[in-house]
């Protein structure tokens, strides 16, 4: 996984006239980047928020998020790239929101939100051969231009938004668990968030009951046989819980009401 720096993102953004920010539909509020949105706004670039993994969230909740973002002045839609749901709707949305044609669309997002899946859905089977964005040698190895259809182009990049925030935000935003300074703290916060959003989420994922995060982590280590020198390997269990969230084994969603963002 390669993280682009904001200078690279700004350089790519300057060559695009529409920005697609991919979010995880299960927690769009945490997986958005205000810094990217502010950068786009300062450059006069329109941002579309695309909530991926929408098959994991009730439609009425997704519509509530669309309304929350609308009140902020942002356009939003949702899609499930994995289930290929909403792909034509997304294409129409992009063409409707593009300020001009030919339109160049830059796709950005934190790790694990499904940015690559969105790109593959948009490229489709008939995508043209790749070519670097012209005009800036510094980006020729990273950013590539694909023809999606007549007068519509997509900018792809191996770089993803740098991860920001505290332990919980970093875990949700796709920081590799091995790189977290305190995976137990991050996993504990994630468990608390899961239990608030859906009290059955932990039992459904692991067959473990209870409400104390550390006890849940210890029980998972015990069930998996993660013991070394007579001690439970709780850090490994904590890292697994974070991985399971991103593979959707541990699955729950956050609604605007959970965050006090709608009535």
């Amino acid at each position: 996984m390669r993280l682009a720096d904001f200078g690279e993102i700004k350089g790519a953004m300057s060559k695009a006239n529409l920005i697609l920010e991919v979010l995880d539909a299960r927690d769009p509020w945490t997986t958005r980047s205000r810094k990217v949105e502010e950068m786009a706004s300062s450059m006069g670039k329109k941002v579309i928020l695309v909530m991926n993994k929408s098959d994991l969230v009730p439609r009425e909740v997704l519509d509530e998020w669309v309304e929350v973002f609308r009140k902020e002045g942002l356009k939003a839609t949702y899609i499930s790239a994995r289930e290929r749901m909403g792909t034509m709707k997304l294409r129409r949305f992009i063409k409707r929101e593009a300020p001009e044609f030919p339109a160049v669309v830059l796709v950005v997002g934190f790790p694990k939100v499904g940015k690559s899946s969105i790109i593959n859905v948009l490229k489709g089977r008939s995508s043209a051969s790749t070519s670097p964005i012209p005009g800036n040698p510094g980006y020729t190895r990273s950013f590539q231009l694909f023809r999606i259809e007549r007068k519509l182009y997509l900018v792809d990049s191996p770089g993803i938004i740098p991860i920001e925030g505290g332990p919980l935000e970093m875990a949700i935003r796709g920081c590799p668990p091995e790189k977290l300074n305190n995976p137990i703290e991050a996993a504990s916060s994630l468990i608390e968030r899961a239990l608030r959003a859906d009290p059955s989420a932990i039992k459904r994922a692991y067959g473990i009951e209870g409400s104390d995060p550390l006890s849940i982590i210890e029980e998972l280590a015990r069930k998996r046989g993660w013991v070394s020198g007579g001690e439970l390997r709780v850090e490994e269990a904590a890292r697994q819980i974070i991985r399971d969230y991103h593979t959707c084994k541990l699955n729950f969603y956050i609604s605007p009401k959970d965050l006090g963002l709608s009535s």
Side-chain angles (χ1 to χ4, degrees):
M1 181 177 67
R2 176 184 176 278
L3 299 179
D5 61 43
F6 284 107
E8 288 180 290
I9 293 171
K10 185 174 182 179
M13 197 176 281
S14 70
K15 297 174 174 62
N17 49 21
L18 186 63
I19 314 301
L20 233 58
E21 183 182 2
V22 182
L23 315 178
D24 187 326
R26 297 176 299 163
D27 195 344
W29 197 252
T30 303
T31 52
R32 63 186 290 207
S33 172
R34 275 74 170 177
K35 186 173 288 189
V36 162
E37 292 163 18
E38 290 165 4
M39 186 185 300
S41 177
S42 70
M43 298 172 70
K45 308 291 183 177
K46 183 182 288 189
V47 175
I48 295 176
L49 304 180
V50 182
M51 294 178 278
N52 191 26
K53 308 181 187 179
S54 66
D55 56 304
L56 303 174
V57 181
R59 183 168 182 174
E60 60 268 22
V61 174
L62 295 167
D63 288 335
E64 287 174 13
W65 278 117
V66 169
E67 179 62 16
V68 166
F69 292 129
R70 185 193 67 78
K71 288 178 180 177
E72 283 198 26
L74 291 166
K75 297 291 181 70
T77 187
Y78 45 87
I79 183 176
S80 172
R82 180 177 60 180
E83 299 295 330
R84 304 191 77 81
M85 293 165 46
T87 56
M88 293 305 298
K89 177 183 174 184
L90 177 58
R91 278 177 175 263
R92 290 194 297 269
F93 201 92
I94 290 170
K95 287 190 280 188
R96 186 172 73 243
E97 296 301 323
E100 60 184 1
F101 290 93
V104 178
V105 182
L106 173 66
V107 184
V108 297
F110 283 116
K112 307 298 185 183
V113 294
K115 172 178 166 284
S116 297
S117 299
I118 293 280
I119 289 170
N120 289 333
V121 162
L122 290 175
K123 279 162 48 180
R125 295 178 181 175
S126 60
S127 59
S129 58
T130 64
S131 63
I133 293 180
N136 196 325
Y139 298 105
T140 56
R141 291 186 208 143
S142 299
F143 294 89
Q144 293 183 305
L145 190 67
F146 294 90
R147 182 178 182 273
I148 302 305
E149 56 183 77
R150 185 172 178 269
K151 294 187 177 180
L152 183 60
Y153 299 87
L154 170 70
V155 179
D156 184 12
S157 162
I160 331 177
I161 297 174
I163 300 167
E164 309 164 294
L168 175 63
E169 288 80 12
M170 292 188 72
I172 291 174
R173 289 169 178 168
C175 179
E178 296 76 16
K179 292 187 177 181
L180 289 168
N181 292 330
N182 191 338
I184 296 173
E185 180 184 2
S188 295
S189 297
L190 189 61
I191 290 168
E192 289 174 351
R193 194 174 183 87
L195 290 172
R196 282 196 302 270
D198 181 354
S200 66
I202 298 298
K203 184 178 180 181
R204 193 169 59 245
Y206 304 113
I208 297 172
E209 298 199 48
S211 58
D212 177 62
L214 184 56
S215 296
I216 291 169
I217 294 170
E218 290 174 341
E219 181 60 22
L220 179 61
R222 192 175 292 112
K223 288 185 71 169
R224 298 288 175 89
W226 290 334
V227 182
S228 181
E231 297 289 329
L232 292 171
R233 291 164 49 201
V234 290
E235 286 200 351
E236 181 56 36
R239 286 190 284 265
Q240 187 59 49
I241 287 168
I242 295 167
R243 293 186 198 104
D244 288 343
Y245 175 73
H246 289 292
T247 61
C248 303
K249 175 181 172 63
L250 172 58
N251 192 41
F252 62 94
Y253 62 86
I254 303 298
S255 75
K257 292 185 181 69
D258 293 330
L259 302 180
L261 295 171
S262 66
S263 56

